[in-house]
Every structure is written in C-alpha cells, then in structure tokens.
Amino acid sequence: MDQNASLVPLLTAEKREIRSLLVANRGEVAIRIIRAAAELGIRTVAIFSEDDTASLHLRAADEARPLRGVGVAAYLDGEQLVAIAKEADCDAIHPGYGFLSESAEFARRCAEAGIVFVGPRAEILELFGDKGQARALAQRCGVPVLPGTWGPTSLEQAREFLAALGEGGAVMVKAVAGGGGRGMRAVLRADDLAEAYARCQSEARQAFGNSDVYVEQLLPRARHIEVQIIGDGSGEVAHLGERECSIQRRHQKLVEIAPSPALSPVLRARLTEAALRLAKAVRYDNIGTFEFLVDAEARDDEATYAFIEANPRLQVEHTVTEEVTGIDLVQLQLKLASGYTLAELQLRQAEVPPPRGFALQVRINMETVEADGTVRPSGGTLTAFTIPSGPGVRVDTFGYVGYRTSPRFDSLLAKLIGHTTATDFSAVVRKTYRALCEFTIAGVSTNKPFLQRLLQHPEFMAGHLYTRFVEDHLAELVAPQEVAWQPSPARATALPHAGAKVDALDPLAVLTYGKAEESSPAVTAAGPLPLPLTSEIVAPPGTR
C-alpha cells in the first residue's frame, strides 16, 4: 500500500481543513513544505526578507509576500508573520525548522489570531524548550538521564558538580534553551570550565535570547540516536523508527542514517519504548524526536543509554525516515494539524510499516574544513550546479546556477539522500558516495571533499560510529587524497552547461538548447536575480 494514500482521507465535519498555508521559512525546507502542501491541494504563500529576493522558494509557492527587514531577524518577527498570514487569508502557518519552529510564544500568538500552528501545541514547545523540565519529565517516567545540574546553573555550581565527579571526570556545558548544537562545550579539565561556560552563555544568548546554561556528566564515547515520534494529542502515539546522528562536528550533525546500522533489536526496543513513554505522558501532538546518548563502548545489548532532549518540530534529517518508511512527514504534519487521529490516518503503531533498507543523508554546507579542523564559511555565486539523479537518490536544495549566496543565513546548501532496500549498510554508503561524486558545484566552496573522504572511511562503512568520530579521524578526513570514483575531467567540465543556455530570469524554466559557449552571461552575474515572475508578489501589510 502507498502509505501516503492514507494521508488524504475525506474530511469530516469535525476537521479543520487547511486551505491556505503560510510557509514561515526559507530555502530548501520552504520548498519541501510547499511541495507537500501542493500535493494535498493546499494553497501556499511564501515570505522573503529584503535581502532574500533571489531565493528559489519564492518561485515554488502560489504567492510570495515580502517581509520588512533583512536577514534572520525578518523571519523571527512573529507579529509581522501573523499579520501577513491574516492579510493573505491563510488559515495555517508551517514554521519548518529553526526560526520560530520551537517558539511557544509564536504558537500561542497564532492561536490567538485563529491560525493553525503546524506543530505541537504551545505547552509541549514550552516544556521541551527547557531542558531542565524535559529531564525532570524523563525522571518521572523512569527514563534514564545523565547526572547533571537542574535548571540554570552558576559557574560556581558547575565547578562543584565537576569536582564531585572525581579524577578524570568531565562535563558538557549546555544551553537550557534551544538546540542544534549551539551553546554546548565539552570540558575535560577544570581549568577550562570558566572559558567554556562564558562561551556557552554568549552563544545561547545570541541564538536563543536566553543565556542560561547547565552541566551534565560527559559520556566520553557515545552514539547519538533519535526516535521519530508522531501523536494526535489524545494520548495515542507511535514511532517511525530511529535515526543514527552520531557523525557530528562540534555538536552539529553532518550525516544521518535510518535505521541505525548498529543497534541490536533489544536496544532498539528499549529506546523506542522510552520515547513512546515520554510522548504518551504529555499527550504529544504532531511530530517530533526524542534524543538519546548510548554508550558506544559497552556491549550492545548491555549498553547504557540516557535521554538528552526532545525536538518538538520537523527535523533537518526527516528525509531519511521518509525514504525508509514511504511516509511523507510534512503531509502527516498538515493532517495532524487539521485534527486527524492516528487511527484515521492508519498510523497506529501496528500499522506503521517497517523500514525498508537504509537511507543516508549528507549535509552539503557552504564551508571549507582546514587541516586543523577549523571550519571557514564560504560564499559567492553558483556558476555550476548539477544535481545527481538515479534510483534511490534525492536532493533537497534551493541552489541554482546564478544564485548568489548570503552570509546572513545558514550555510546549508543541499541535502543529498541515498536510499537502498539492501540490508547491507555499505550498499547505501556506496550509492550516496556515487551521487556525491556526481554533484557538480562551482563558484562556492563546500564541504563536499570532506564528505567524500568520510564516506570512504572504512570505519564509517563498517558502521562503527560515535559522536567524536570526526575529531578522532580528522587528519584522515582533511588530508588531500584521491577519491575512488568521480566524473572524468571532461565530463565534469561539460556537466554545468550540457549544451544548454540557461534563462537567468527563471532558474526553474525549461532549458533552451544551444551551444554551450552561448550560455547566458547572467549565469555568473554578481547581482541578485529579479523577483519571481511565476508567483504573485504582494506588498507587506501597511506599506500599500
């Protein structure tokens, strides 16, 4: 059965049909949401800041409306978003991930305006937005957590906790609010605590508007496993399996895999049961993930694990779960937000399909990795951008030839996902590696070479993963070396144009064929593209 077919049942009188959706995000996730909504027959309205007029998500939507302001701040203006939604006659807002996706205040503001917030209800966002409260919930539910302080912690309290761990003890300083690896520092020596504490406070204040931090005992060699949860608010919850997110750089995920290639059935059952217990306790609604650390050095069936946090939103890595289950998670969000139950959607636990094979996602970021591990952001104009294709290959991106990147936004350029039904994990690694080699990007430096070396590392291919994998193998991952397969120089040179002339005014247009040397000079133009022609552009509220 096509699982997504169950996501479009006939609406009943009790349901609140979403007819028009404001997509309160940008870039690849905005395009992802717009596509899912379009397939459900939902009208979409995109938004864009003053410095984001060339972003591809504007062309994907039925209508595009400008925001006052530039950069991230414009997308964080909740009052402006609600005003645009009301003026555009939208009955729902999807926040994507990042920006306002975990803001309880914004969810409440939407409710006050009579607009559906596509995500968990405000109380859930508030609970899991405070890691202290989340840890307390886990303890009440009998789910293990790492030893740590509770709530906002002073530097002196942090020192006392570290000292109590004894010789060889180590801690992780973590922001109370937010996530995504921001406001986190590992401290292995007491002398380093003060500096790490100050840095975490600064990062947390900048990223989340809240400088509070706490500390917990550091698990030196751990794997990061997250469980995808769905719920309808009635207490009925289900899981869609787990994802392995252990390959990280400075607590930022680089690679995600579904299912984990190294979990035993016993440990998998323990983790998913713990996630369900937590979700059921709060009558979880919509989708989210419950995240755990697993001791990577213990025997699998005896491994200790601990709950660390919940992310009550769509995740960047939701794609790998979609590939192995066949379930469109964004469409599922929209249906749950409309009032459907898991029973009506045929997604109670017994009805959830088991994973088919493996899926692997790599994040292609606009950055370079230096020999010492230093990451330097990059930017420029994309002069070539040819995405790979073939069975089991998916690319989520907003890039196109002629696009000029902005340093004001996240460095993520594309997500490349490989999927295979093979039960051998190395098969999906080889498929993703082949696709990565085919991905032609010029004009902007990316971490593609780093990812290629990572996918070729024998320990990675064997599934021996843990959170410090990158640090421990850094010299091998940044050293110049030949990759096993990539397009020949002649083919790679031909790929960007392929004998086509690109219409610089419409990166989505059908290519006009001609000689390669006649390609539009605007491909490398420095100026931003004009506003989209296929979407209706409307002035922001109060500017007419």
Side-chain angles (χ1 to χ4, degrees):
M1 180 186 73
D2 178 2
Q3 192 65 39
N4 284 329
S6 69
L7 301 184
V8 286
L10 294 175
L11 288 161
T12 64
E14 293 78 28
K15 304 299 184 293
R16 178 173 178 178
E17 180 182 10
I18 295 176
R19 300 181 181 278
S20 184
L21 180 71
L22 182 78
V23 181
N25 217 295
R26 65 176 300 278
E28 59 87 16
V29 68
I31 295 172
R32 170 74 191 88
I33 296 165
I34 290 165
R35 287 171 174 165
E39 291 174 12
L40 293 177
I42 298 173
R43 167 180 170 264
T44 54
V45 178
I47 55 172
F48 58 97
S49 62
E50 293 170 9
D51 56 343
D52 207 15
T53 59
S55 188
L56 199 55
H57 73 280
L58 277 67
R59 286 183 172 265
D62 296 302
E63 181 181 322
R65 298 211 172 206
L67 293 165
R68 294 187 299 273
V70 298
V72 172
Y75 292 93
L76 291 174
D77 188 343
E79 285 300 320
Q80 185 175 189
L81 296 181
V82 169
I84 291 175
K86 291 178 72 68
E87 186 178 81
D89 197 27
C90 293
D91 44 33
I93 293 179
H94 196 308
Y97 39 71
F99 294 144
L100 294 172
S101 61
E102 296 180 74
S103 170
E105 180 182 355
F106 182 61
R108 289 195 178 95
R109 182 67 187 90
C110 289
E112 291 169 359
I115 297 171
V116 174
F117 176 84
V118 181
R121 60 190 185 278
E123 311 91 83
I124 299 293
L125 297 175
E126 198 162 57
L127 169 64
F128 291 120
D130 184 323
K131 294 188 180 71
Q133 288 191 51
R135 282 162 53 85
L137 171 68
Q139 282 207 320
R140 292 196 300 271
C141 292
V143 176
V145 296
L146 292 170
T149 58
W150 296 93
T153 300
S154 68
L155 177 58
E156 187 56 38
Q157 290 171 322
R159 284 197 177 105
E160 292 174 0
F161 179 81
L162 177 57
L165 295 177
E167 186 177 353
V171 298
M172 182 73 78
V173 184
K174 302 176 74 171
V176 167
R182 295 177 177 86
M184 293 177 61
R185 286 286 191 286
V187 178
L188 307 180
R189 302 186 312 129
D191 291 346
D192 299 332
L193 181 60
E195 180 182 358
Y197 183 93
R199 285 183 176 274
C200 287
Q201 279 195 317
S202 175
E203 288 179 9
R205 184 184 302 110
Q206 183 177 10
F208 315 122
N210 181 350
S211 63
D212 291 337
V213 298
Y214 71 104
V215 296
E216 65 183 20
Q217 186 175 5
L218 178 67
L219 193 59
R221 191 176 174 93
R223 286 164 46 217
H224 186 145
I225 306 292
E226 63 186 28
V227 178
Q228 179 69 63
I229 288 293
I230 59 177
D232 57 20
S234 71
E236 182 80 57
V237 295
H239 74 81
L240 303 183
E242 86 285 349
R243 297 188 284 258
E244 174 89 48
C245 304
S246 298
I247 300 299
Q248 305 175 5
R249 184 201 64 238
R250 296 180 180 175
H251 316 298
Q252 297 281 335
K253 299 169 186 173
L254 292 173
V255 176
E256 296 94 0
I257 305 156
S260 169
L263 279 189
S264 71
V266 172
L267 187 53
R268 177 174 289 113
R270 289 175 182 165
L271 293 176
T272 54
E273 192 278 331
L276 289 173
R277 202 185 317 163
L278 291 167
K280 195 173 185 66
V282 297
R283 293 186 301 108
Y284 198 93
D285 59 324
N286 216 268
I287 75 171
T289 58
F290 288 77
E291 312 213 353
F292 302 85
L293 290 182
V294 176
D295 186 352
E297 294 187 332
R299 289 179 55 185
D300 196 37
D301 289 349
E302 300 175 358
T304 58
Y305 67 91
F307 167 77
I308 50 173
E309 66 181 20
N311 287 298
R313 55 171 167 81
L314 184 72
Q315 290 275 75
V316 177
E317 59 271 21
H318 74 279
T319 57
V320 290
T321 297
E322 290 185 327
E323 293 304 309
V324 296
T325 63
I327 297 173
D328 187 315
L329 288 178
V330 179
Q331 289 189 11
L332 177 55
Q333 283 190 291
L334 293 167
K335 285 299 170 183
L336 290 169
S338 297
Y340 285 98
T341 67
L342 295 186
E344 291 171 317
L345 296 172
Q346 300 176 41
L347 284 174
R348 287 172 294 192
Q349 193 63 66
E351 300 165 303
V352 172
R356 298 174 298 112
F358 286 99
L360 188 157
Q361 172 179 283
V362 294
R363 303 190 189 192
I364 300 175
N365 297 326
M366 295 177 284
E367 63 188 24
T368 57
V369 184
E370 305 295 329
D372 63 354
T374 301
V375 176
R376 302 190 184 281
S378 66
T381 299
L382 288 171
T383 56
F385 196 75
T386 304
I387 63 175
S389 59
V393 175
R394 167 179 171 180
V395 177
D396 285 15
T397 185
F398 60 99
Y400 60 86
V401 172
Y403 177 69
R404 185 171 64 184
T405 67
S406 170
R408 292 193 174 104
F409 299 108
D410 188 86
S411 65
L412 180 64
L413 176 62
K415 302 185 308 192
L416 169 61
I417 305 99
H419 173 236
T420 175
T421 56
T423 57
D424 178 7
F425 173 62
S426 64
V428 76
V429 178
R430 289 192 298 270
K431 180 183 285 288
T432 309
Y433 176 77
R434 185 272 302 170
L436 186 60
C437 290
E438 285 187 3
F439 208 143
T440 302
I441 304 171
V444 175
S445 298
T446 71
N447 64 339
K448 175 184 165 181
F450 178 88
L451 294 172
Q452 287 174 304
R453 296 180 191 116
L454 175 64
L455 294 186
Q456 281 203 294
H457 197 285
E459 290 294 298
F460 180 90
M461 293 194 72
H464 299 158
L465 313 177
Y466 55 99
T467 54
R468 290 189 57 83
F469 186 98
V470 170
E471 288 87 343
D472 289 352
H473 298 283
L474 185 63
E476 303 159 72
L477 297 176
V478 299
Q481 63 186 58
E482 291 296 323
V483 292
W485 184 96
Q486 59 182 334
S488 67
R491 181 170 175 267
T493 302
L495 279 174
H497 303 296
K501 183 164 74 174
V502 178
D503 179 359
L505 298 181
D506 187 359
L508 288 184
V510 175
L511 298 176
T512 302
Y513 287 89
K515 295 181 180 179
E517 61 267 24
E518 294 175 351
S519 296
S520 169
V523 162
T524 57
L529 296 178
L531 290 176
L533 305 177
T534 56
S535 299
E536 181 185 353
I537 306 297
V538 184
T543 62
R544 293 180 176 177

